[in-house]
Coordinates of all heavy atoms in Angstrom, one line a residue:
L44 N 118.4 104.7 108.6 CA 118.1 105.6 107.5 C 119.1 106.6 107.4 O 119.6 107.1 108.4 CB 116.6 106.2 107.6 CG 115.5 105.2 107.8 CD1 114.2 105.9 108.1 CD2 115.4 104.2 106.7
I45 N 119.3 107.2 106.2 CA 120.3 108.3 106.1 C 119.5 109.5 105.6 O 118.7 109.4 104.6 CB 121.4 107.9 105.0 CG1 122.1 106.6 105.4 CG2 122.4 109.1 104.8 CD1 122.7 106.6 106.8
L46 N 119.6 110.5 106.4 CA 119.0 111.8 106.1 C 119.9 112.8 105.4 O 121.1 112.9 105.7 CB 118.5 112.5 107.4 CG 117.6 111.6 108.3 CD1 117.3 112.3 109.6 CD2 116.3 111.2 107.6
K47 N 119.3 113.5 104.5 CA 120.1 114.6 103.8 C 119.5 115.9 104.3 O 118.2 116.1 104.2 CB 120.0 114.6 102.3 CG 120.8 115.5 101.6 CD 120.7 115.4 100.0 CE 121.5 116.4 99.4 NZ 121.5 116.4 97.9
T48 N 120.3 116.8 104.8 CA 119.9 118.1 105.3 C 120.7 119.2 104.7 O 121.7 118.9 104.0 CB 120.0 118.2 106.8 OG1 121.4 118.4 107.2 CG2 119.5 116.9 107.5
D49 N 120.3 120.4 105.0 CA 121.1 121.6 104.5 C 122.4 121.7 105.3 O 123.3 122.5 105.0 CB 120.2 122.9 104.6 CG 119.7 123.1 105.9 OD1 118.8 122.3 106.4 OD2 120.0 124.1 106.7
K50 N 122.6 120.8 106.4 CA 123.8 120.9 107.2 C 124.6 119.6 107.0 O 125.6 119.3 107.7 CB 123.5 120.9 108.7 CG 122.9 122.3 109.0 CD 122.8 122.5 110.6 CE 122.3 123.8 110.9 NZ 122.2 124.1 112.3
G51 N 124.2 118.8 106.0 CA 125.0 117.5 105.7 C 124.1 116.3 105.9 O 122.9 116.4 106.0
F52 N 124.8 115.2 106.0 CA 124.1 113.9 106.2 C 124.1 113.5 107.6 O 125.1 113.7 108.3 CB 124.8 112.8 105.3 CG 124.6 113.0 103.8 CD1 125.6 113.7 103.1 CD2 123.5 112.6 103.2 CE1 125.4 114.0 101.8 CE2 123.3 112.8 101.8 CZ 124.3 113.5 101.1
F53 N 123.1 112.8 108.0 CA 122.9 112.2 109.3 C 122.4 110.8 109.2 O 121.6 110.5 108.3 CB 121.9 113.1 110.2 CG 122.3 114.5 110.5 CD1 122.1 115.5 109.6 CD2 123.0 114.7 111.7 CE1 122.6 116.8 109.9 CE2 123.4 116.0 112.0 CZ 123.2 117.1 111.1
G54 N 122.7 110.0 110.2 CA 122.1 108.6 110.3 C 120.9 108.7 111.2 O 120.9 109.6 112.1
M55 N 119.9 107.9 111.0 CA 118.7 107.9 111.9 C 118.4 106.4 112.1 O 118.0 105.7 111.1 CB 117.6 108.7 111.4 CG 116.4 108.6 112.3 SD 115.0 109.8 111.8 CE 114.5 109.0 110.3
I56 N 118.4 105.9 113.4 CA 118.1 104.5 113.6 C 116.7 104.6 114.3 O 116.5 105.2 115.3 CB 119.1 103.9 114.6 CG1 120.5 103.9 113.9 CG2 118.6 102.4 114.9 CD1 121.6 103.4 114.9
I57 N 115.7 104.0 113.6 CA 114.3 104.1 114.1 C 113.8 102.8 114.5 O 114.3 101.7 114.0 CB 113.4 104.8 113.0 CG1 113.3 104.0 111.8 CG2 113.9 106.2 112.8 CD1 112.2 104.4 110.9
S58 N 112.7 102.8 115.2 CA 112.0 101.5 115.6 C 111.0 101.2 114.4 O 110.4 102.1 113.9 CB 111.2 101.7 116.9 OG 110.4 100.6 117.1
G59 N 111.0 99.9 114.1 CA 110.0 99.4 113.1 C 108.5 99.7 113.5 O 107.7 99.7 112.6
S60 N 108.3 100.0 114.8 CA 106.9 100.3 115.2 C 106.5 101.7 114.8 O 105.4 102.1 114.9 CB 106.8 100.2 116.7 OG 107.6 101.1 117.4
R61 N 107.4 102.6 114.4 CA 107.2 103.9 114.0 C 106.5 103.9 112.6 O 107.2 103.6 111.7 CB 108.4 104.8 114.1 CG 108.1 106.3 114.1 CD 109.3 107.1 114.4 NE 109.7 107.0 115.8 CZ 109.1 107.7 116.9 NH1 108.2 108.5 116.6 NH2 109.6 107.5 118.1
E62 N 105.3 104.4 112.5 CA 104.6 104.3 111.2 C 105.0 105.4 110.3 O 105.1 105.2 109.1 CB 103.1 104.4 111.4 CG 102.4 103.3 112.1 CD 102.6 102.0 111.3 OE1 102.4 102.0 110.1 OE2 102.8 100.9 111.9
K63 N 105.3 106.6 110.8 CA 105.7 107.8 110.0 C 106.8 108.6 110.6 O 106.9 108.6 111.8 CB 104.4 108.6 109.9 CG 104.4 109.7 108.9 CD 103.1 110.4 108.8 CE 103.3 111.6 107.9 NZ 102.2 112.6 108.0
I64 N 107.6 109.1 109.8 CA 108.7 110.0 110.2 C 108.3 111.4 110.1 O 107.8 111.8 109.0 CB 110.0 109.7 109.4 CG1 110.4 108.2 109.6 CG2 111.1 110.6 109.8 CD1 111.4 107.8 108.6
D65 N 108.3 112.2 111.1 CA 107.9 113.6 111.1 C 109.2 114.4 110.7 O 110.0 114.7 111.6 CB 107.4 114.0 112.4 CG 106.8 115.4 112.4 OD1 107.2 116.2 111.6 OD2 105.9 115.7 113.2
F66 N 109.4 114.6 109.4 CA 110.6 115.4 109.0 C 110.7 116.8 109.6 O 111.8 117.3 109.7 CB 110.7 115.3 107.5 CG 111.1 114.0 107.0 CD1 110.1 113.2 106.4 CD2 112.4 113.5 107.0 CE1 110.4 111.9 105.9 CE2 112.7 112.2 106.6 CZ 111.7 111.4 106.0
E67 N 109.5 117.4 109.8 CA 109.5 118.8 110.4 C 110.1 118.8 111.8 O 110.9 119.6 112.1 CB 108.1 119.3 110.3 CG 107.6 119.8 108.9 CD 106.2 120.3 108.9 OE1 105.8 120.8 110.0 OE2 105.6 120.3 107.8
K68 N 109.7 117.8 112.6 CA 110.2 117.7 113.9 C 111.7 117.4 113.9 O 112.4 118.0 114.7 CB 109.5 116.6 114.7 CG 108.2 117.1 115.3 CD 107.7 115.9 116.2 CE 106.4 116.3 116.9 NZ 105.8 115.2 117.6
I69 N 112.1 116.6 113.0 CA 113.6 116.2 112.9 C 114.3 117.4 112.4 O 115.5 117.7 113.0 CB 113.8 115.0 112.0 CG1 113.2 113.8 112.7 CG2 115.2 114.8 111.7 CD1 113.1 112.6 111.9
A70 N 113.8 118.3 111.6 CA 114.4 119.5 111.1 C 114.7 120.4 112.3 O 115.7 121.0 112.5 CB 113.6 120.2 110.0
I71 N 113.6 120.5 113.2 CA 113.7 121.4 114.4 C 114.8 120.8 115.3 O 115.7 121.5 115.8 CB 112.4 121.5 115.0 CG1 111.4 122.3 114.2 CG2 112.5 122.1 116.4 CD1 110.0 122.2 114.6
L72 N 114.8 119.5 115.5 CA 115.7 118.8 116.4 C 117.2 119.0 116.0 O 118.1 119.3 116.8 CB 115.4 117.4 116.5 CG 116.1 116.5 117.4 CD1 115.9 116.9 118.8 CD2 115.7 115.0 117.2
L73 N 117.4 119.1 114.6 CA 118.7 119.2 114.1 C 119.1 120.6 113.8 O 120.2 120.9 113.3 CB 118.9 118.4 112.8 CG 118.8 116.8 113.0 CD1 118.8 116.1 111.6 CD2 120.0 116.4 113.9
N74 N 118.1 121.6 114.0 CA 118.2 122.9 113.6 C 118.6 123.1 112.1 O 119.5 123.8 111.8 CB 119.3 123.6 114.6 CG 119.2 125.1 114.6 OD1 118.2 125.7 114.2 ND2 120.3 125.7 114.9
C75 N 117.8 122.4 111.3 CA 118.0 122.5 109.9 C 116.8 123.1 109.3 O 115.7 123.0 109.8 CB 118.3 121.1 109.3 SG 119.7 120.3 109.9
K76 N 117.0 123.7 108.1 CA 115.8 124.2 107.3 C 115.1 123.0 106.6 O 113.8 123.1 106.5 CB 116.3 125.2 106.3 CG 116.8 126.5 106.9 CD 117.2 127.4 105.9 CE 117.7 128.7 106.4 NZ 119.0 128.6 107.1
K77 N 115.8 122.0 106.1 CA 115.2 121.0 105.2 C 115.8 119.7 105.5 O 117.0 119.5 105.8 CB 115.6 121.3 103.8 CG 114.5 121.1 102.8 CD 115.0 121.6 101.4 CE 114.0 121.2 100.4 NZ 114.4 121.6 99.0
V78 N 114.9 118.6 105.7 CA 115.4 117.3 106.0 C 114.5 116.4 105.1 O 113.4 116.5 105.0 CB 115.1 116.9 107.5 CG1 115.5 115.4 107.7 CG2 115.9 117.7 108.4
K79 N 115.3 115.4 104.4 CA 114.6 114.4 103.6 C 115.5 113.2 103.6 O 116.6 113.2 104.0 CB 114.3 114.9 102.2 CG 115.6 115.2 101.4 CD 115.3 115.7 100.0 CE 116.6 116.1 99.2 NZ 116.3 116.5 97.9
L80 N 114.9 112.1 103.2 CA 115.7 110.8 103.0 C 116.7 111.1 101.9 O 116.4 111.6 100.8 CB 114.8 109.6 102.7 CG 114.0 109.2 103.8 CD1 113.0 108.1 103.3 CD2 114.8 108.7 105.0
A81 N 117.9 110.6 102.1 CA 118.9 110.6 101.1 C 118.6 109.6 99.9 O 117.9 108.6 100.1 CB 120.3 110.2 101.6
R82 N 119.0 110.0 98.7 CA 118.8 109.1 97.6 C 119.7 107.9 97.7 O 120.7 107.9 98.3 CB 119.1 109.9 96.3 CG 118.2 111.0 95.9 CD 118.3 111.6 94.6 NE 119.7 111.8 94.2 CZ 120.3 113.0 94.3 NH1 119.7 114.0 94.7 NH2 121.6 113.1 93.9
P83 N 119.3 106.8 97.1 CA 120.1 105.5 97.1 C 121.6 105.8 96.8 O 122.5 105.2 97.5 CB 119.4 104.6 96.2 CG 118.0 105.0 96.2 CD 118.0 106.5 96.4
S84 N 121.9 106.6 95.8 CA 123.2 106.8 95.3 C 124.0 107.6 96.4 O 125.2 107.4 96.7 CB 123.3 107.6 94.0 OG 122.6 108.9 94.1
E85 N 123.3 108.5 97.1 CA 123.9 109.3 98.2 C 124.2 108.4 99.4 O 125.2 108.5 100.1 CB 122.9 110.4 98.6 CG 122.8 111.5 97.6 CD 121.7 112.5 97.8 OE1 120.6 112.1 98.4 OE2 121.9 113.7 97.5
V86 N 123.2 107.5 99.7 CA 123.4 106.6 100.8 C 124.7 105.8 100.6 O 125.6 105.6 101.4 CB 122.2 105.6 101.0 CG1 122.5 104.5 102.0 CG2 121.0 106.4 101.5
Q87 N 124.9 105.2 99.4 CA 126.0 104.4 99.0 C 127.3 105.2 99.1 O 128.3 104.7 99.7 CB 125.8 103.9 97.6 CG 127.0 103.0 97.1 CD 127.0 101.6 97.6 OE1 125.9 101.0 97.8 NE2 128.1 101.1 98.1
K88 N 127.2 106.4 98.7 CA 128.4 107.3 98.7 C 128.9 107.7 100.1 O 130.0 107.6 100.4 CB 128.1 108.6 97.9 CG 129.3 109.5 97.7 CD 129.0 110.7 96.9 CE 130.2 111.6 96.8 NZ 129.9 112.8 96.0
V89 N 127.9 108.0 101.0 CA 128.3 108.5 102.3 C 128.5 107.3 103.3 O 129.2 107.6 104.3 CB 127.4 109.6 102.9 CG1 127.4 110.8 102.0 CG2 126.0 109.1 103.2
T90 N 127.9 106.2 103.1 CA 128.1 105.1 104.1 C 128.9 103.8 103.5 O 129.3 103.1 104.3 CB 126.7 104.5 104.5 OG1 126.0 103.9 103.4 CG2 125.8 105.6 105.1

Side-chain angles (χ1 to χ4, degrees):
L44 306 177
I45 304 302
L46 305 175
K47 182 177 183 180
T48 76
D49 50 296
K50 292 188 175 182
F52 292 94
F53 293 86
M55 180 173 66
I56 301 171
I57 63 165
S58 169
S60 66
R61 197 168 288 278
E62 292 296 320
K63 190 176 173 198
I64 299 167
D65 188 335
F66 289 104
E67 286 181 23
K68 276 188 181 174
I69 292 170
I71 292 166
L72 187 63
L73 294 175
N74 197 22
C75 295
K76 291 181 180 69
K77 219 173 172 185
V78 175
K79 63 181 181 178
L80 288 175
R82 293 191 314 266
S84 60
E85 293 169 324
V86 171
Q87 181 75 43
K88 184 177 179 182
V89 299
T90 68

